[in-house]
Amino acid sequence: MSNIFLIVFGAVLTENFIFSRFYGICPFLGVSDKPSTALGMGMAVTFVMTVSSAATYCAYYLLLKPFGLEYLKTIAFILVIAALVQFIEMFLKKYAPSLYGALGIYLPLITTNCAVLGAALVNIQEQRSFIESVMFGASSALGFTMAICVFAGVRAKMEFSNPPKAFRGFPILLIAAALAAMAFSGFSGMKF
């Protein structure tokens, strides 16, 4: 049980995919303009990352490893993730069209989101069990959601600021993201 707690705590705070590993920066910067959109993207990534952690674990240990095809894991994992993203896209288009429209091009890009693929590959690299893999995927996704929602709040506050002309737009976003990453680096020294 303590191992699961360490995996959850580490994935959310100390090894946050956005602020520590710098995975998933594209949707982090692209979809964090409004808190509601950021939360929607976070929920979609949470679903895909949790389910893909389970599915890629099964694909690796039941299909790839027994037949000596471990070298195909990246391609196989991308195919599994792409299928899950297609499912999410169809679901949102039918049942949440406003969220589907708000996520725009970033929804299909979950397929190539390095945070989703990174979770699957880290699970295999660290030889986690099935339960640990699923918990790591869900926790990493919660860390991703937390980071993107926090940054959406920062961006909402930044709309009322008046930075120098050279920093307006994307440059100030990168500076704010760097400061948020520095703040989260304080968790990196925590050991249990």
Side-chain angles (χ1 to χ4, degrees):
M1 187 66 176
S2 65
N3 193 31
I4 298 292
F5 174 75
L6 292 175
I7 288 172
V8 170
F9 185 81
V12 172
L13 293 176
T14 61
E15 297 174 21
N16 186 288
F17 269 28
I18 289 179
F19 293 137
S20 180
R21 294 182 185 231
F22 306 110
Y23 294 165
I25 296 295
C26 178
F28 172 71
L29 293 173
V31 184
S32 61
D33 54 342
K34 291 189 291 189
S36 60
T37 308
L39 182 61
M41 175 60 113
M43 290 187 318
V45 168
T46 299
F47 177 79
V48 171
M49 198 179 291
T50 303
V51 175
S52 71
S53 292
T56 55
Y57 179 91
C58 293
Y60 184 79
Y61 286 107
L62 298 176
L63 294 174
L64 298 177
K65 195 166 185 175
F67 295 107
L69 301 172
E70 295 96 337
Y71 60 92
L72 294 175
K73 69 179 174 255
T74 303
I75 294 169
F77 291 177
I78 288 173
L79 291 174
V80 168
I81 293 165
L84 290 170
V85 170
Q86 286 298 319
F87 171 74
I88 288 282
E89 192 171 3
M90 290 185 302
F91 178 83
L92 289 179
K93 190 174 187 178
K94 185 169 184 166
Y95 296 107
S98 60
L99 180 58
Y100 174 79
L103 292 175
I105 188 67
Y106 294 99
L107 185 60
L109 289 178
I110 293 175
T111 301
T112 57
N113 185 341
C114 53
V116 178
L117 180 60
L121 292 173
V122 167
N123 283 331
I124 298 303
Q125 179 183 1
E126 296 188 8
Q127 298 178 347
R128 292 192 167 108
S129 68
F130 178 78
I131 298 297
E132 291 173 342
S133 295
V134 172
M135 290 305 297
F136 180 76
S139 303
S140 296
L142 289 176
F144 178 91
T145 303
M146 178 192 63
I148 199 169
C149 288
V150 164
F151 196 64
V154 169
R155 285 183 72 170
K157 290 285 188 183
M158 285 175 33
E159 290 199 15
F160 299 108
S161 67
N162 188 18
K165 188 175 181 180
F167 290 108
R168 289 187 188 144
F170 198 67
I172 197 71
L173 290 180
L174 291 177
I175 292 170
L179 292 173
M182 286 175 55
F184 267 78
S185 71
F187 292 115
S188 65
M190 297 181 79
K191 302 286 182 207
F192 292 96

